[in-house]
């Protein structure tokens, strides 16, 4: 029976060590001295080398000679579509200005909005492609991309169309998130409720109708939108069949995570100021905690997310780049693996789960990607390492030797 099955196999990896990352397993869900078969772009079989059935002549055999296989990596929180850059604000911060002060004085997100509005769709695409390409070259096969630098109907749609084009340009799955409620555009100065009307009554319906987003996000913070305004956006999202998530408790604790839990959110992201009741709410609602060490590092934060409390309450933790021009101009998932361990004291196993199975869960695609298991899409990264912790330990020499998307070699 096994050999019948193996007749449909297209590719078989042999002599592999596999970090399956199955169900946030301990020790990487490691399967050593193993083989893995692909059929129709999906994982068809995996097991010990000694159990590998006899192969038909037509099967492509890839001998990886003891290298490690992991699921293709997933960056579940990015803002890689934007115009311009903010090196000037970086210099201001080095001279003592804070991220919040810069935002309050008309810089910050709003300055990127100006540059993004001025840029054409082609220009935005050309600027974003190298960012996506950098992540892809480090093993990323799925990514989330947010809008949020347009802040009017046309420019928000423009950003999401660029995200869609990116998914066609490289072999990377792109989950698109509408983040219209990211900052208050200058046209709505002193009328933030009026802007939320626009988000709920015009933007979300159009985004949903044109199928330009999978989820809706809100930046709930003193310098952005209130908990009440966030709830209005969540209601509109739900009415249009979109999932929700939130940028929460990054600079202060407003309780946005508890609200998000009531709306069955996929994730709550940042979380440096998350309270115990927030952790409990996440646990109860099975939300993923998306931790963003790049923003923590780049803003020189000192307050750590409550990692031990998240662990104690079995909240799944994902790690993402938050790649954006203001708080994390860092397009490297490998650096995030390193920072998750050095800055947040995650174990390498937790960090790797954070960019595989738990990141998939944060995007609601954990039935398709993020683990190496039979039936999952064959998104597979091959690494020239002798133990998985090396992926977190070193930085600057890329150990990726091959990358497969849906079973096809893409690097
Ligand atoms: N939090 C972040 O870290 C990014 N957006 C957000 O709500 C930063 C966006 C920026 O500064 O451009
Ligand atoms: Fe963000």
């Amino acid at each position: 029976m096994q050999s019948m099955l193996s007749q449909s196999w297209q590719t078989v990896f042999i002599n592999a060590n596999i970090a399956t990352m199955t169900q946030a397993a301990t020790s990487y869900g490691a399967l050593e001295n193993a083989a893995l078969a692909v059929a129709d772009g999906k994982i068809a079989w995996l097991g010990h080398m000694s159990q590998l059935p006899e192969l038909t002549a037509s099967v492509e055999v890839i001998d990886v000679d003891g290298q490690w296989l992991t699921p293709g990596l997933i960056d579940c929180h990015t803002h890689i579509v934007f115009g311009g850059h903010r090196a000037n604000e970086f210099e201001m911060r080095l001279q003592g200005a804070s991220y919040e002060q810069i935002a309050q004085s008309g810089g910050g997100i709003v300055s990127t909005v100006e540059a993004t509005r001025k840029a054409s769709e082609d220009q935005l695409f050309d600027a974003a492609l190298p960012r996506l390409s950098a992540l892809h070259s480090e093993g990323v096969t799925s990514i989330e991309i947010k809008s949020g630098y347009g802040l009017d109907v046309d420019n928000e749609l423009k950003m999401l169309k660029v995200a869609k084009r990116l998914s066609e340009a490289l072999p990377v799955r792109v989950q698109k998130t509408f983040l219209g409620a990211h900052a208050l555009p200058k046209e709505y100065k002193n009328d933030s409720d009026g802007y939320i009307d626009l988000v709920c009554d015009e933007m979300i319906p159009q985004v949903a109708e044109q199928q330009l987003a999978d989820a809706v996000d809100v930046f709930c913070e003193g310098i952005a939108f209130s908990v009440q305004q966030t709830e209005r956006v969540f209601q509109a999202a739900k009415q249009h069949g979109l999932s929700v998530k939130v940028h929460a408790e990054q600079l202060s604790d407003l309780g946005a995570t508890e609200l998000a839990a009531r709306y069955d959110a996929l994730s709550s992201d940042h979380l440096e100021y998350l309270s115990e009741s927030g952790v409990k709410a996440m646990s109860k609602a099975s939300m993923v905690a998306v931790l963003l060490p790049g923003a923590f590092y780049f803003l020189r934060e000192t307050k750590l997310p409550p990692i031990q409390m998240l662990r104690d309450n079995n909240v799944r933790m994902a790690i993402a780049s938050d790649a954006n021009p203001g708080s994390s101009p860092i397009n490297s998932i490998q650096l995030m693996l390193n920072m998750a361990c050095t800055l947040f004291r995650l174990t390498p196993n937790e960090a790797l789960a954070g960019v595989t199975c738990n990141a998939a869960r944060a995007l609601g695609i954990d039935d398709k990607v993020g683990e190496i298991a039979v039936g999952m899409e064959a998104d597979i990264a091959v690494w020239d390492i002798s133990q998985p912790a090396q992926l977190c330990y070193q930085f600057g020499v890329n150990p990726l030797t091959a990358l497969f998307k849906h079973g096809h070699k893409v690097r």
Side-chain angles (χ1 to χ4, degrees):
M1 205 193 106
Q2 264 193 330
S3 58
M4 284 291 288
L5 178 73
S6 67
Q7 280 171 11
S8 64
W9 294 355
Q10 279 125 29
T11 307
V12 176
F13 296 84
I14 62 166
N15 298 318
N17 293 310
I18 306 177
T20 64
M21 305 314 295
T22 304
Q23 278 306 311
T26 51
S27 302
Y28 314 96
L31 197 62
E32 296 188 33
N33 195 15
L36 180 156
V38 176
D40 291 329
K42 294 197 170 151
I43 296 168
W45 184 91
L46 76 161
H48 197 263
M49 277 300 287
S50 63
Q51 299 165 325
L52 183 66
E54 204 174 308
L55 301 173
T56 54
S58 60
V59 181
E60 177 196 21
V61 177
I62 302 175
D63 185 347
V64 297
D65 194 20
Q67 293 185 90
W68 279 83
L69 270 44
T70 68
L73 305 186
I74 302 169
D75 192 348
C76 68
H77 179 142
T78 85
H79 312 247
I80 61 167
V81 175
F82 59 85
H85 64 80
R86 306 234 290 277
N88 52 332
E89 293 180 8
F90 178 53
E91 290 190 299
M92 286 163 69
R93 283 199 299 109
L94 290 173
Q95 283 159 18
S98 74
Y99 182 70
E100 281 154 302
Q101 282 164 349
I102 291 169
Q104 275 150 5
S105 65
I109 293 172
V110 169
S111 69
T112 298
V113 171
E114 231 166 273
T116 304
R117 286 179 175 178
K118 276 195 200 126
S120 67
E121 202 180 298
D122 284 345
Q123 286 168 331
L124 288 178
F125 174 85
D126 290 346
L129 189 61
R131 300 177 192 131
L132 181 60
S133 182
L135 289 162
H136 183 56
S137 73
E138 291 191 340
V140 169
T141 48
S142 300
I143 188 177
E144 185 253 24
I145 301 177
K146 300 176 195 293
S147 69
Y149 293 117
L151 309 188
D152 62 28
V153 174
D154 289 347
N155 284 297
E156 284 294 303
L157 294 176
K158 178 174 76 178
M159 288 187 72
L160 292 168
K161 285 176 194 156
V162 171
K164 190 173 172 191
R165 272 177 63 186
L166 289 167
S167 72
E168 291 150 10
L170 283 177
V172 179
R173 171 193 288 272
V174 175
Q175 295 294 115
K176 300 181 293 301
T177 298
F178 168 67
L179 177 57
H182 191 198
L184 191 63
K186 59 179 187 312
E187 315 83 86
Y188 282 85
K189 197 161 186 260
N190 303 319
D191 184 20
S192 62
D193 284 327
Y195 179 64
I196 293 296
D197 290 341
L198 181 75
V199 168
C200 295
D201 302 340
E202 297 197 35
M203 293 185 186
I204 289 177
Q206 292 198 38
V207 164
E209 209 219 333
Q210 297 184 41
Q211 297 185 357
L212 281 171
D214 308 286
V216 172
D217 194 349
V218 178
F219 187 18
C220 185
E221 189 58 68
I223 55 170
F225 298 98
S226 69
V227 171
Q228 274 169 332
Q229 291 168 331
T230 302
E231 180 157 22
R232 289 185 52 207
V233 177
F234 285 175
Q235 284 168 345
K238 289 282 165 180
Q239 271 165 23
H240 288 86
L242 295 166
S243 319
V244 300
K245 58 176 80 176
V246 66
H247 278 70
E249 337 314 348
Q250 179 186 7
L251 308 166
S252 60
D253 177 24
L254 298 185
T257 298
E258 287 92 325
L259 172 77
R262 293 210 304 280
Y263 282 82
D264 208 14
L266 290 165
S267 68
S268 185
D269 304 28
H270 282 290
L271 303 177
E272 279 79 352
Y273 288 79
L274 183 66
S275 67
E276 183 168 4
S277 81
V279 174
K280 299 271 184 218
M282 292 188 82
S283 177
K284 208 162 152 228
S286 298
M287 279 164 72
V288 178
V290 178
L291 307 178
L292 305 167
F296 178 89
Y297 155 81
F298 196 68
L299 296 182
R300 305 189 71 212
E301 297 289 349
T302 50
K303 189 165 165 52
L304 288 163
I307 309 253
Q308 191 55 45
M309 216 192 284
L310 290 165
R311 270 190 199 117
D312 292 343
N313 287 275
N314 298 315
V315 177
R316 293 171 68 162
M317 294 181 280
I319 300 295
S321 70
D322 195 20
N324 77 71
S327 66
S328 186
I330 305 176
N331 292 271
S332 169
I333 201 76
Q334 290 178 9
L335 183 55
M336 293 307 120
L337 282 170
N338 181 271
M339 286 183 173
C341 299
T342 53
L343 299 178
F344 289 174
R345 314 310 287 170
L346 262 58
T347 66
N349 183 64
E350 286 173 328
L352 202 55
V355 298
T356 55
C357 53
N358 291 351
R361 173 84 176 213
L363 296 177
I365 54 175
D366 51 325
D367 56 334
K368 301 182 185 76
V369 294
E371 290 178 13
I372 294 187
V374 171
M376 302 293 269
E377 291 176 12
D379 289 4
I380 293 165
V382 185
W383 307 94
D384 184 15
I385 53 174
S386 57
Q387 62 182 87
Q390 274 176 276
L391 293 177
C392 304
Y393 150 81
Q394 67 187 0
F395 176 74
V397 176
N398 186 354
L400 186 77
T401 59
L403 189 60
F404 293 80
K405 176 85 189 154
H406 283 134
H408 296 290
K409 190 167 192 290
V410 294
R411 287 192 89 91

